[in-house]
Amino acid sequence: MCLSGSDPNSVFHQTKSIFSLISNIKVGLQPEICGTMYTITFKFEQKGLEPITLTGIEPDQSILEVALKNDIELHHNCGGVCACSTCHLYVDKGEDFLEELSDKEEDFIDRAVNPRLNSRLGCQCVLQEGGGEVFVTLPDQTQFLGE
Ligand code: FES
């Protein structure tokens, strides 16, 4: 049996063609795989903190969860159940990727320090299926007591 690549009917040539086909399929899938992850940039109002950009963030978790998993301080006195306003933050870009604002969340935002039009509660900002870029700004966390 000839295993050189010169004979187009050889096992070697056919195997190589199959591997080439498989790797082309993998390359074709890459944009879809990238499209299921988020990139989140955290900016801070607290003096001396530089912005942090996290990549490869999976959907179906809140901005609060993402922050805590990555050692970014964001208070959460009620434990993330929409019963306080200490996880208050500002969504600068990418609000369409997040779960919609509920009436209950809006009520707690009204009690937050310095609420703005782009205010949200970090524990209620759940990343929807898909992927994209989200930019948030965290208020100065030194103003809060507790967790
Ligand atoms: S942690 Fe209390 S409302 Fe988000």
Side-chain angles (χ1 to χ4, degrees):
M1 177 172 26
C2 174
L3 290 180
S4 77
S6 57
D7 178 3
N9 294 320
S10 72
V11 173
F12 174 80
H13 186 87
Q14 288 176 0
T15 305
K16 193 174 161 198
S17 295
I18 289 169
F19 276 116
S20 170
L21 184 64
I22 290 170
S23 66
N24 284 342
I25 290 169
K26 277 191 197 163
V27 168
L29 286 177
Q30 279 176 348
E32 191 179 324
I33 291 167
C34 292
T36 62
M37 296 289 187
Y38 282 95
T39 296
I40 304 178
T41 298
F42 289 85
K43 291 197 294 182
F44 305 93
E45 291 188 338
Q46 189 174 332
K47 285 192 174 68
L49 296 182
E50 294 297 317
I52 295 173
T53 298
L54 305 171
T55 57
I57 304 297
E58 293 184 357
D60 202 29
Q61 56 183 332
S62 71
I63 298 290
L64 172 66
E65 290 172 307
V66 173
L68 298 179
K69 282 179 192 169
N70 290 281
D71 296 323
I72 294 172
E73 186 179 11
L74 180 56
H75 280 66
H76 50 284
N77 288 4
C78 76
V81 296
C82 196
C84 71
S85 57
T86 54
C87 65
H88 172 228
L89 51 74
Y90 306 107
V91 178
D92 302 317
K93 192 176 163 196
E95 62 276 2
D96 291 344
F97 296 119
L98 306 172
E99 196 164 303
E100 283 186 22
L101 180 75
S102 68
D103 291 343
K104 186 178 178 190
E105 182 182 356
E106 207 165 353
D107 287 346
F108 280 103
I109 287 172
D110 286 342
R111 304 176 207 181
V113 177
N114 198 15
R116 300 174 195 154
L117 286 176
N118 62 341
S119 286
R120 292 292 309 264
L121 298 179
C123 67
Q124 301 304 299
C125 292
V126 177
L127 296 162
Q128 301 298 287
E129 284 307 312
E133 278 192 291
V134 178
F135 293 79
V136 298
T137 299
L138 305 192
D140 185 344
Q141 298 296 297
T142 63
Q143 68 188 317
F144 300 114
L145 296 172
E147 286 182 76

